[in-house]
């Protein structure tokens, strides 16, 4: 419950106003100007902001005992008339302009919404039955004299609003060529609504087959609580993260998940232990804000599965909950909170994928749901004649750097951090948030003119106000901020995103370079080495560290890891767009044959390549991220844009995970190996003091255009030293290893070997035998590598031979060897005293 100061009473300070409850409002005007001002829709002179100062001023003017002075004779008090709603059960009062949204107070609920262009507004209340019937239960007109402060419309409903929902109806100019879409026939959703209620079951249309039924916001209650059980932010250092990008519904929706509530927040909780076992300590949830999965359904059978089409940024996706619309969405909110709490218990942070670049309202042909019907010209980036800029590729562009919009975005992020306990955000098409807003005005943005400023709508800004606000917000301090540093309008800012030293980036250049080197493309050895170091060519000059780079090979859009090594072309015909959608430039290689049905040698090569990519992710400086299902080789049949399929192609296949347990085992062991190695998650970029590059011969790296071999050794505080090599050539190689007197290189990972010998764990039954197979190479400080393979070797004390004097400071044996008794020394006898060696056979006996 939020407690705020009361509104100034309209009566001569005799009317008692309960603490925290806004009372009827007072408007004081000159006698002849009252009617004119009310007709013009202007706010009375006495506002609600600074209520205490207003009360003090009123006391001085009116007098505590009701005495009147000369000024009182020249003015009249305009009192808001007594108004009731819901059959007299609730009293309607003036309300307060902040905070925006619906706020539970003592005795009722305060409603406040921004709309600069509306000429009239009303609050619409719904019961669940009336909402389903698309009938407004009660409509409360808002008086522009008493219920408006500046550009904020507000009202306080005193009484019990339990099991009620709300929306707004706005009237004004409907002129698309002017950027205005006010339509009194629509009841729109409050952008600040904490839950949006419409359909309760995923994929099921509303009454009459309606895909866009009437929506309404949840009215909060003062007594609604959630037991966090002492949950606190985990605050892992970003350099220590292993991120798992996952779709919440797809994670458990397949029948093989065997969970009680598949495809829900509760269902996902039952599989969190699997993620912990996998070595993941952070999940990046694809959009879980309220969206309409049936937005395409009226014209096709496609579904909006991914969810990158937001209706409301405060509301969790209601149909991802097992409870649906029960309790007006409160149960769904608590389910999401439960998911976060249980993830934190298992040491897993939760990052949300947020889509502040566009909304579900689309272009001028799209529906009027919320932002468009409230104030289109404020919330969207518009051309002079009302056309929508389309930097998102989805029909509209959110007007992020408008003062009202950027305050809305920051309020939203704060809510998810403070109320929902999320640990960070990944910003979809974040470069849009750096573009100048509609009708850019330096005075409006910076408070004064900027000399030489020629910025126009959509121009990339060096210091975007929104990014500045987020970066320096005190509540968002320490929250993880990840930018997808490009947009659909051609702006590409990887390595150049305005960062204030708090923003990290999806490193798309890492993805492209690694894909090309691993598949054997010439000219990428040097770039590949940069990627292994955390991309210092992108981040070091700007003062950022390796962990500002979110390294990935595959993500939700594009090929999966298995498809990356199976298909040279995309196969998106099932999307219904004649294979025109999706990325054409995939940098994939099918390893010799197109498609899943291939020869045995091709399949073996594909398995090696998948392991090579995963090894690269885990030994690179920066933060590794991999996509749900890649750890077992999930395939989408070559479709690289599966945004519209709610079936097995997007579901995590728990049955396939068991069938492909070898790859899953390898990935799990690699994530754990990374955590064990201090050197693979450095605070800063590695230097020559601990990192050494090698070629086929130690200390002789080959950075030529034709080089397909990169190797390095790294000193490590826990492992001593590790050696990592990638052979991306079609030819095998015998690699010379760095000389380390007294020590011996021992193989740990070799993607050229079949499972389980691709990762030699200590508990592997045949481990000693597997090591002996390489002994003749390792005795000569060599190691054989198959084509298209990668290896990791660990430096171990050499126990297989007598150490040379001076090899160790501990007298020739390893520190963990048991002490050996010194061998007894014998003096060598002089030559004349040595006993002659007897003959093998005695000489013949001459005695006869």
């Amino acid at each position: 419950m939020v407690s705020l100061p009361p509104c100034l009473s309209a009566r001569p300070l005799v009317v008692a106003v309960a603490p925290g409850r806004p009372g009827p409002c007072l408007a004081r005007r000159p006698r002849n100007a009252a009617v004119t001002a009310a007709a013009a829709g202007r706010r009375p002179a006495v506002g609600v902001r600074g209520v205490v100062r207003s009360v003090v001023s009123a006391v001085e003017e009116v007098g505590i005992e009701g005495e009147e002075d000369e000024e009182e004779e020249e003015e009249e008090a305009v009192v808001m008339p007594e108004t009731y709603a819901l059959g007299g059960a609730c009293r309607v009062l003036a309300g307060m302009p902040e905070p925006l949204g619906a706020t539970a107070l003592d005795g009722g609920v305060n409603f406040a919404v921004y709309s600069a262009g509306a000429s009239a507004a009303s609050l619409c209340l719904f019961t669940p039955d009336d909402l389903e019937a698309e009938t407004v239960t009660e409509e409360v007109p808002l008086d522009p004299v008493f219920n408006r402060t500046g550009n904020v419309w507000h009202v306080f409903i005193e009484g019990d609003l339990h099991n009620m929902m709300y929306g707004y109806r706005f009237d004004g100019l409907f002129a698309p060529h002017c950027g205005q879409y006010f339509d009194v026939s629509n009841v729109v959703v409050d952008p600040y609504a904490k839950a949006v209620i419409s359909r309760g079951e995923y994929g099921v249309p509303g009454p009459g087959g309606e895909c866009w039924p009437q929506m309404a916001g949840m009215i909060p209650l003062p007594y609604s609580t959630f037991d966090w059980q002492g949950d606190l932010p985990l605050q892992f250092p970003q350099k220590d993260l292993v991120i798992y990008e996952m779709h919440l519904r797809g994670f458990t929706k397949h029948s093989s998940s065997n969970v009680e509530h598949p495809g829900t927040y509760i269902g996902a909780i039952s599989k969190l232990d699997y993620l912990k076992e996998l070595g993941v300590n952070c999940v990046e949830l694809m959009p879980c804000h309220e969206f309409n999965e049936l937005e395409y359904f009226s014209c096709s059978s496609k579904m909006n599965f991914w969810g990158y089409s937001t209706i409301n940024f405060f509301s969790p996706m209601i149909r991802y909950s097992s409870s649906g619309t029960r309790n007006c969405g409160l149960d769904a909110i608590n389910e999401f909170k439960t998911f976060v709490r249980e993830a934190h218990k298992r040491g897993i942070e939760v990052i949300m994928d947020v889509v502040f670049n566009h909304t579900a309202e689309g272009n001028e042909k799209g529906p009027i749901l919320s932002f468009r019907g409230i104030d289109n010209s404020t919330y969207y980036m518009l051309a002079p004649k009302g056309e929508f800029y389309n930097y998102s590729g989805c029909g509209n562009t959110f007007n992020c750097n408008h003062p009202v919009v950027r305050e809305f975005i920051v309020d939203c992020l704060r809510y998810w951090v403070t109320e929902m306990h999320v640990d960070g955000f990944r910003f979809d098409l974040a470069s849009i948030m750096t573009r100048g807003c509609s009708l850019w005005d330096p005075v409006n943005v910076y408070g004064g003119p900027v000399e030489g400023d020629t910025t126009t709508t959509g121009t990339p800004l060096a210091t975007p106000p929104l990014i500045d606000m987020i970066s320096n917000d005190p509540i968002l301090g320490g929250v993880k901020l990840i930018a997808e540093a490009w947009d659909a309008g051609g702006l590409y800012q990887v390595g150049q995103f305005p960062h204030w030293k708090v923003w990290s980036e999806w490193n798309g250049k890492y993805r492209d370079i690694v894909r090309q080197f691993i598949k054997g493309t010439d000219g990428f050895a040097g770039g590949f080495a940069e990627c292994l170091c955390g991309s210092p060519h992108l981040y070091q000059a700007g003062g950022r560290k390796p962990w500002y780079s979110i390294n990935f090979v595959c993500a939700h859009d594009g090929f999966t890891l298995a498809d990356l090594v199976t298909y040279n072309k995309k196969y998106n015909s099932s999307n219904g767009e004649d294979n025109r959608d999706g990325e054409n430039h995939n940098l994939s290689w099918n390893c010799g044959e197109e498609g899943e049905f291939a020869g045995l040698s091709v399949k073996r090569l594909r398995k090696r390549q998948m392991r090579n990519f995963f090894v690269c992710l885990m030994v690179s400086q920066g933060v590794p991220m991999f996509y749900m299902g890649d750890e077992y080789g999930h395939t989408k049949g070559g479709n690289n844009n599966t945004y519209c399929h709610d079936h097995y192609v997007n579901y995590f296949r728990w049955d396939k995970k068991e069938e492909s347990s070898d790859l899953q085992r390898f990935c799990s062991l690699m994530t754990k190996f990374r955590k064990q190695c201090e050197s693979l998650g450095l605070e800063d970029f590695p230097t020559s003091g601990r990192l050494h590059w090698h070629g086929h011969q130690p200390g002789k790296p080959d950075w030529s255009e034709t080089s397909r071999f990169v190797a390095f050794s790294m000193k490590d505080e826990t492992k001593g030293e590790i050696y990592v090599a990638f052979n991306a050539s079609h030819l095998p190689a015998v690699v010379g290893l760095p000389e380390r007197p007294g020590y011996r290189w021992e193989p740990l990972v070799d993607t050229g070997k079949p499972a389980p010998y691709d990762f030699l764990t200590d508990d592997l039954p045949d481990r000693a035998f597997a090591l002996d197979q390489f002994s003749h190479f390792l005795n000569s400080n060599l190691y054989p590598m198959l084509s298209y393979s990668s290896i990791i070797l660990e430096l171990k004390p050499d126990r297989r031979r007598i150490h040379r004097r001076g090899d160790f400071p501990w007298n020739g044996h390893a520190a963990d060897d048991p002490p050996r008794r010194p061998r007894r020394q014998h003096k060598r006898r002089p030559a004349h005293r040595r006993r002659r060696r007897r003959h093998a056979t005695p000489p013949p006996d001459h005695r006869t």
Side-chain angles (χ1 to χ4, degrees):
M1 182 179 71
V2 180
S3 181
L4 297 175
C7 183
L8 181 61
S9 173
R11 300 192 172 92
L13 298 182
V14 177
V15 177
V17 180
R21 183 191 307 172
C25 189
L26 168 68
R28 305 183 59 83
R29 299 186 185 283
R31 190 182 305 271
N32 297 330
V35 176
T36 304
R42 295 196 301 269
R43 180 74 180 119
V46 178
V48 181
R49 300 175 189 266
V51 172
V52 176
R53 293 193 296 272
S54 300
V55 172
V56 173
S57 176
V59 169
E60 294 175 353
E61 294 179 10
V62 182
I64 299 178
E65 302 298 332
E67 298 178 356
E68 297 183 355
D69 52 19
E70 296 179 358
E71 293 183 2
E72 196 68 25
E73 297 176 358
E74 298 178 1
E75 298 181 353
E76 66 176 6
V78 182
V79 181
M80 181 176 178
E82 293 282 350
T83 308
Y84 293 87
L86 299 175
C90 296
R91 188 183 180 197
V92 180
L93 304 176
M96 291 182 289
E98 56 183 11
L100 294 174
T103 307
L105 302 174
D106 184 17
V109 178
N110 190 78
F111 299 87
V113 62
Y114 166 90
S115 180
S119 60
S122 60
L123 174 70
C124 299
L125 300 175
F126 297 89
T127 63
D129 290 340
D130 285 343
L131 179 64
E132 185 175 351
E134 302 194 0
T135 301
V136 176
T137 305
E138 180 86 14
E139 186 160 348
V140 181
L142 304 186
D143 191 317
V145 175
F146 302 102
N147 300 112
R148 183 171 182 173
T149 301
N151 293 325
V152 177
W153 300 79
H154 49 81
V155 64
F156 182 84
I157 304 297
E158 182 185 58
D160 185 8
L161 295 178
H162 176 68
N163 208 32
M164 298 288 291
M165 292 156 286
Y166 78 104
Y168 291 102
R169 195 190 303 276
F170 290 96
D171 198 3
L173 181 65
F174 186 91
H177 64 280
C178 298
Q180 299 293 355
Y181 285 81
F182 293 107
D183 186 350
V184 73
S185 66
N186 284 303
V187 177
V188 295
V189 176
D190 181 5
Y192 279 81
K194 303 308 184 291
V196 175
I197 308 302
S198 59
R199 297 175 294 103
E201 187 176 352
Y202 188 97
V204 177
E210 179 61 53
C211 294
W212 288 100
Q214 179 62 54
M215 294 179 287
M218 177 195 75
I219 296 179
L221 301 174
Y223 48 81
S224 59
T225 59
F226 176 78
D227 183 9
W228 280 105
Q229 300 178 2
D231 178 68
L232 292 172
L234 296 176
Q235 295 184 332
F236 291 145
Q238 186 157 314
K239 68 182 183 66
D240 296 334
L241 294 185
V242 176
I243 300 177
Y244 188 81
E245 188 191 22
M246 61 176 278
H247 188 281
L248 192 132
R249 175 175 170 83
F251 190 49
T252 60
K253 183 58 182 174
H254 195 266
S255 59
S256 61
S257 68
N258 295 320
V259 300
E260 184 177 358
H261 299 287
T264 66
Y265 303 119
I266 296 298
I269 290 173
S270 62
K271 294 295 186 180
L272 288 174
D273 289 332
Y274 162 74
L275 296 180
K276 183 177 181 180
E277 178 188 349
L278 186 60
V280 168
N281 61 3
C282 179
V283 291
E284 184 179 296
L285 298 179
M286 291 174 66
C288 288
H289 289 146
E290 184 66 23
F291 66 92
N292 184 3
E293 74 280 8
L294 296 180
E295 67 172 289
Y296 314 125
F297 203 72
S298 58
C299 58
S300 71
S301 59
K302 296 194 301 183
M303 303 275 279
N304 177 14
F305 182 78
W306 284 353
Y308 289 91
S309 191
T310 309
I311 293 173
N312 182 277
F313 293 97
F314 280 85
S315 170
M317 178 60 171
I318 297 298
R319 290 171 298 285
Y320 281 175
S321 70
S322 62
S323 56
T325 59
R326 192 174 62 226
N327 206 3
C328 293
L330 180 61
D331 289 357
I333 293 175
N334 288 340
E335 274 196 30
F336 182 90
K337 291 179 177 179
T338 303
F339 173 82
V340 175
R341 184 190 69 195
E342 296 305 308
H344 285 175
K345 286 182 180 180
R346 292 160 175 80
I348 299 174
E349 292 191 334
V350 179
I351 291 177
M352 289 195 67
D353 195 338
V354 291
V355 193
F356 289 114
N357 57 76
H358 76 285
T359 75
E361 293 180 305
N363 58 20
E364 64 278 358
K365 298 180 181 179
I368 298 176
L369 307 172
S370 180
F371 302 97
R372 176 170 295 161
I374 293 174
D375 205 314
N376 184 74
S377 61
T378 292
Y379 286 107
Y380 293 113
M381 198 179 292
L382 303 177
K385 294 185 178 181
E387 304 97 331
F388 289 89
Y389 280 91
N390 191 18
Y391 294 119
S392 68
C394 298
N396 64 53
T397 303
F398 215 47
N399 204 20
C400 295
N401 282 298
H402 187 285
V404 171
V405 181
R406 65 177 185 257
E407 183 176 353
F408 163 79
I409 293 174
V410 171
D411 286 346
C412 182
L413 299 178
R414 285 180 167 189
Y415 173 80
W416 284 97
V417 169
T418 58
E419 183 66 22
M420 310 296 264
H421 288 204
V422 302
D423 302 281
F425 305 94
R426 179 263 187 187
F427 294 81
D428 183 65
L429 299 184
S431 290
I432 283 178
M433 301 195 303
T434 71
R435 293 184 180 270
C437 64
S438 295
L439 305 177
W440 174 268
D441 182 5
V443 176
N444 195 26
V445 175
Y446 297 116
V450 177
E451 184 177 353
D453 182 80
T454 59
T455 303
T456 59
T457 301
T459 301
L461 308 173
T463 55
L466 172 61
I467 306 300
D468 189 356
M469 284 183 66
I470 296 173
S471 304
N472 295 291
D473 185 82
I475 293 177
L476 300 178
V479 171
K480 295 171 175 66
L481 304 172
I482 303 172
E484 184 184 36
W486 57 83
D487 64 23
L491 183 56
Y492 192 80
Q493 297 176 308
V494 172
Q496 299 174 336
F497 190 84
H499 54 81
W500 276 266
K501 293 186 178 181
V502 296
W503 287 79
S504 52
E505 300 171 5
W506 266 27
N507 192 344
K509 293 184 177 180
Y510 176 98
R511 172 199 61 202
D512 297 343
I513 292 173
V514 167
R515 285 188 179 189
Q516 293 186 89
F517 178 81
I518 293 294
K519 74 186 182 78
T521 306
D522 287 340
F524 287 94
F528 183 72
E530 293 273 10
C531 291
L532 294 173
C533 291
S535 301
H537 62 299
L538 296 177
Y539 302 110
Q540 193 168 31
R544 288 190 279 180
K545 306 297 183 182
W547 39 271
Y548 287 98
S549 171
I550 307 299
N551 302 329
F552 68 103
V553 175
C554 299
H556 65 272
D557 52 351
F559 281 149
T560 65
L561 186 60
D563 290 349
L564 186 67
V565 299
T566 305
Y567 298 96
N568 284 347
K569 301 181 296 182
K570 65 180 182 181
Y571 295 88
N572 295 3
S573 298
S574 60
N575 298 351
E577 301 180 39
D578 296 327
N579 209 37
R580 295 188 305 269
D581 63 306
E583 179 61 57
N584 293 316
H585 191 59
N586 293 290
L587 303 176
S588 61
W589 178 44
N590 63 15
C591 298
E593 295 182 40
E594 187 77 355
E596 295 185 52
F597 300 101
L600 185 60
S601 61
V602 171
K603 289 184 176 180
R604 287 174 178 169
L605 176 56
R606 290 172 179 174
K607 289 182 178 181
R608 292 207 303 273
Q609 289 291 71
M610 285 193 284
R611 286 165 169 77
N612 292 337
F613 281 120
F614 210 84
V615 169
C616 177
L617 267 181
M618 293 302 151
V619 302
S620 296
Q621 301 297 323
V623 179
M625 183 192 80
F626 60 101
Y627 180 60
M628 175 184 83
D630 279 348
E631 71 270 26
Y632 70 81
H634 181 79
T635 177
K636 296 182 179 181
N639 191 329
N640 68 359
N641 191 31
T642 59
Y643 70 98
C644 56
H645 299 292
D646 181 34
H647 54 65
Y648 67 91
V649 75
N650 276 322
Y651 294 167
F652 189 98
R653 295 291 301 273
W654 296 93
D655 52 344
K656 296 293 185 182
K657 179 187 79 70
E658 298 302 325
E659 295 176 9
S660 305
S661 58
D662 289 345
L663 180 58
Q664 190 269 333
R665 168 189 175 271
F666 181 85
C667 293
S668 178
L669 290 171
M670 279 303 307
T671 57
K672 293 172 183 176
F673 172 75
R674 177 184 174 85
K675 292 180 180 180
Q676 294 169 359
C677 292
E678 164 271 340
S679 62
L680 297 182
L682 296 177
E683 185 69 31
D684 210 336
F685 295 100
T687 63
S688 58
R690 68 187 308 169
L691 172 68
H692 301 279
W693 296 104
H694 309 289
H696 288 102
Q697 296 301 319
K700 297 179 180 180
D702 182 2
W703 306 122
S704 67
E705 286 293 305
T706 58
S707 174
R708 298 184 184 182
F709 183 88
V710 172
F712 67 91
S713 58
M714 177 83 79
K715 294 180 180 178
D716 187 88
E717 292 182 359
T718 57
K719 297 289 186 180
E721 190 172 3
I722 60 174
Y723 175 90
V724 182
F726 295 87
N727 180 23
S729 172
H730 62 287
L731 299 174
V734 177
V735 181
L737 304 176
E739 288 280 353
R740 298 292 184 263
Y743 289 87
R744 177 187 180 90
W745 291 105
E746 188 172 286
L748 177 69
V749 173
D750 188 342
T751 63
K753 299 291 184 276
Y757 305 106
D758 51 356
F759 198 114
L760 298 178
T761 57
D762 291 337
D763 59 351
L764 193 65
D766 298 328
R767 185 174 186 275
F769 177 75
L771 292 176
D772 285 342
Q773 288 184 322
F774 301 99
S775 59
H776 57 293
F777 283 100
L778 295 173
N779 289 340
S780 302
N781 231 29
L782 301 172
Y783 192 88
M785 291 187 68
L786 206 60
S787 62
Y788 301 108
S789 68
S790 53
I791 60 171
I792 300 177
L793 309 181
E794 293 180 310
L795 196 63
K796 301 285 186 178
D798 191 350
R799 305 177 186 179
R800 294 175 177 262
R801 62 184 178 87
I802 299 175
H803 301 290
R804 296 188 301 271
R805 186 184 303 274
D807 281 356
F808 291 89
W810 46 84
N811 297 323
H813 58 84
D816 55 351
D817 282 345
R820 292 179 292 188
R821 295 179 60 184
R823 182 175 297 177
R824 183 178 178 182
Q825 302 292 327
H826 296 277
K827 290 184 178 181
R828 188 175 179 82
R829 292 184 179 186
H832 67 279
R833 298 189 60 183
R834 295 176 192 168
R835 183 178 297 175
R836 290 185 179 180
R837 184 176 181 181
R838 297 184 178 274
H839 293 286
T841 57
D845 191 359
H846 294 284
R847 290 177 301 177
T848 60

